[in-house]
Amino acid sequence: MSTIVVGVDGSESALGAVRWAAEEAALRADTVRLVHAYVVPLHGYPDFAATFPQLRDGMRHQGGAWLDEARETVGAVAPDVPVETDLVEEEAVSALVEESRRARITVLGSRGLGGFTGMLVGSVAVGLATHGHSPVVVVRRSTESLGPEAPIVVGADGSEASTAALRFAFDEAVARAAPVTVVRTWRGIFLDEAVPRYPMKVDPAEIEDGERAALAEQVGPLRESHPDIAVETVVVRGRPVRTLLHHGRSARMLVVGSRGRSGFSGMLLGSTSQALVTHAPCPVAVIRSGE
């Protein structure tokens, strides 16, 4: 039995993540592990209102209450799913990164109680998606209203991370009896567009045919090993973020690799995955190539 770790902070966004994790755990016979991490501030509060020990006790009590609420939420969604809870005095990102070492998936809401107005995703979600050891799912909104035809959309660019994302997407599709939409984008500014007086003989259709062939080669083994999964492939000239956000409007989930072909060495979270974690209209799964 594997474990799904969920970060809990008392926010409605976190409870949405708990509900998603409970549904996922019920499909897989997983355990849900609820984690609340807190750090007691050393200054910035009036000493006359509370002493440091009193503040620590209060934060532990509040965290325990939030974990109890999250446990009840799991029970309401999936009564048979086993639940563990952990209350730790530690910075949230480091605590969840450590938890992710033993998790099948680590799940967060898109914005916690510490978020500022207008901040669409919390720093904890970005930090965990950057450094986590398991696939990280950021739950931005509920997908309960979607029908069985709603696909799992996955970005594929030929990179090792996107191949790992494809495997995750097909695995989710099997568990959820959902179709898969695989999206590949390509970009190019041709000289005849930029400088009409000096045309360059480049055929966009030829380039797109090459991209389609590359995508077919990448997706082919998974098509063969999952013959019951309906697969749609989409190849378009455009920006990956904009294209994936468009397909995410009706998706059950967006799945991306943590870093694509254009990533620089040492950059743990690519611009596309970070933008989707921030703006996607559905749950987003970020997959590292080693997962």
Side-chain angles (χ1 to χ4, degrees):
M1 181 181 292
S2 55
T3 299
I4 299 174
V5 170
V6 191
V8 172
D9 68 358
S11 66
E12 182 54 42
S13 179
L15 288 179
V18 170
R19 294 184 192 99
W20 187 93
E23 293 169 358
E24 175 77 9
L27 292 172
R28 312 280 193 140
D30 285 347
T31 295
V32 170
R33 180 171 171 81
L34 306 168
V35 178
H36 175 70
Y38 67 97
V39 176
V40 184
L42 297 176
H43 50 75
Y45 59 92
D47 292 341
F48 63 83
T51 65
F52 182 86
Q54 288 172 333
L55 183 60
R56 170 183 277 163
D57 288 345
M59 293 183 73
R60 285 192 66 82
H61 177 76
Q62 180 64 83
W66 286 337
L67 287 172
D68 289 342
E69 180 184 30
R71 180 191 284 274
E72 291 173 2
T73 299
V74 174
V77 173
D80 296 330
V81 167
V83 182
E84 302 173 354
T85 62
D86 197 12
L87 181 62
V88 294
E89 188 172 335
E90 188 178 349
E91 195 272 333
V93 173
S94 61
L96 290 170
V97 166
E98 183 60 30
E99 288 281 348
S100 74
R101 293 181 184 275
R102 297 173 293 278
R104 184 175 68 80
I105 303 175
T106 308
V107 187
L108 283 175
S110 61
R111 180 176 158 195
L113 290 177
F116 297 98
T117 300
M119 186 174 73
L120 296 179
V121 67
S123 58
V124 174
V126 173
L128 184 58
T130 303
H131 300 289
H133 299 281
S134 71
V136 173
V137 174
V138 179
V139 179
R140 297 197 48 78
R141 67 166 170 81
S142 170
T143 56
E144 291 178 358
S145 61
L146 298 177
E149 73 284 354
I152 293 169
V153 175
V154 54
D157 64 2
S159 66
E160 187 179 349
S162 76
T163 297
L166 279 167
R167 289 195 295 268
F168 182 92
F170 273 79
D171 188 47
E172 284 292 305
V174 170
R176 297 172 181 273
V180 173
T181 299
V182 186
V183 177
R184 182 179 175 111
T185 64
W186 60 279
R187 296 179 61 189
I189 299 175
F190 304 119
L191 193 59
D192 57 341
E193 295 175 346
V195 188
R197 291 177 66 184
Y198 302 98
M200 186 177 185
K201 297 300 181 183
V202 177
D203 185 359
E206 222 175 275
I207 295 176
E208 184 159 320
D209 287 344
E211 295 291 326
R212 289 187 184 280
L215 181 59
E217 183 178 356
Q218 188 180 12
V219 177
L222 284 162
R223 275 187 185 270
E224 291 179 11
S225 59
H226 298 79
D228 296 331
I229 298 297
V231 182
E232 178 188 10
T233 56
V234 177
V235 177
V236 294
R237 181 183 176 189
R239 297 179 180 274
V241 172
R242 186 177 299 172
T243 304
L244 288 168
L245 287 175
H246 170 74
H247 285 277
R249 292 174 188 168
S250 57
R252 187 175 304 278
M253 177 191 292
L254 273 173
V255 185
V256 289
S258 59
R259 185 160 62 97
R261 286 181 301 176
S262 60
F264 296 99
S265 178
M267 185 177 69
L268 297 178
L269 192 67
S271 58
T272 297
S273 49
Q274 185 161 353
L276 293 174
V277 165
T278 306
H279 298 293
C282 64
V284 178
V286 179
I287 316 298
R288 302 271 289 277
S289 58
E291 293 161 2

